[in-house]
Amino acid sequence: MENTRTGITLRVDGEQRSLRVDNRTTLLDALREQLGVTSPKKGCDHGQCGSCTVLLDGRRATTCLTFAVAQDGADIVTAAGLSEGDELHPMQEAFLERDGFQCGYCTPGQVCSAVGMLDEAKAGHPSHVTADLTAEPELTDDEIRERMSGNLCRCAAYPNILAAIRAAAAP
């Protein structure tokens, strides 16, 4: 039988981690089961709910849809890694202040996705609802909803999530 395991190195929340993974292991399973990083949640396991979203080399990504072996050398930031010591990231603060969660299960993915989404908008990346592709995207409620549409909240806390993102995006 051929060797189906590969040694990889990941930088997770600022810490270099080495592990050996079955080549079929998703990044989500490697994080949760091998490294004990439980911030990304296993929701649908099909890339439909966004609970497992992290920032992968600075861009948001659903970890259940990528193989760990394909991310050798990647820099991964989870919701837990966004804070600096006891100081929460402004998006985390906004979620708390605006009550942007109910059960909290989707919150880590929502927070990571919101941080990545704001960076994408700031870089001028249009969304499906951006009317003028030549202008800097304006973060209207429709823009935010479209950009966050890959993250589902089963408790329906969307109005508060939207308010939290708006608050964090405000200068």
Side-chain angles (χ1 to χ4, degrees):
M1 182 170 187
E2 291 182 39
N3 183 2
T4 59
R5 298 182 65 83
T6 302
I8 63 171
T9 301
L10 304 170
R11 183 173 172 83
V12 182
D13 294 335
E15 182 181 340
Q16 199 79 10
R17 310 283 298 267
S18 295
L19 63 156
R20 191 160 183 82
V21 294
D22 181 302
N23 295 341
R24 300 165 293 181
T25 303
T26 65
L27 181 57
L28 176 61
D29 288 340
L31 289 169
R32 291 185 59 83
E33 295 172 15
Q34 290 190 248
L35 298 179
V37 178
T38 57
S39 178
K41 304 299 184 216
K42 186 175 251 188
C44 67
D45 213 17
H46 292 87
Q48 297 174 345
C49 73
S51 294
C52 65
T53 303
V54 300
L55 298 174
L56 179 62
D57 290 331
R59 307 248 357 226
R60 53 191 171 150
T62 48
T63 56
C64 71
L65 292 182
T66 187
F67 290 115
V69 71
Q71 302 307 324
D72 184 28
D75 184 41
I76 298 164
V77 177
T78 70
L82 287 171
S83 61
E84 304 235 355
D86 291 338
E87 188 172 326
L88 295 178
H89 185 279
M91 188 64 72
Q92 293 169 317
E93 284 285 344
F95 266 68
L96 284 172
E97 290 171 3
R98 305 281 193 237
D99 197 18
F101 55 88
Q102 288 184 10
C103 81
Y105 196 80
C106 71
T107 303
Q110 296 271 6
V111 168
C112 282
S113 190
V115 169
M117 179 273 293
L118 290 181
D119 289 343
E120 292 164 14
K122 193 179 296 179
H125 298 189
S127 80
H128 183 69
V129 299
T130 303
D132 183 354
L133 299 179
T134 61
E136 185 174 324
E138 181 184 347
L139 281 178
T140 64
D141 288 352
D142 286 345
E143 276 282 348
I144 294 172
R145 286 186 187 106
E146 171 59 22
R147 291 171 186 268
M148 294 295 294
S149 63
N151 291 77
L152 302 179
C153 171
R154 292 183 175 98
C155 301
Y158 296 116
N160 294 349
I161 291 170
L162 178 63
I165 293 170
R166 286 196 131 327

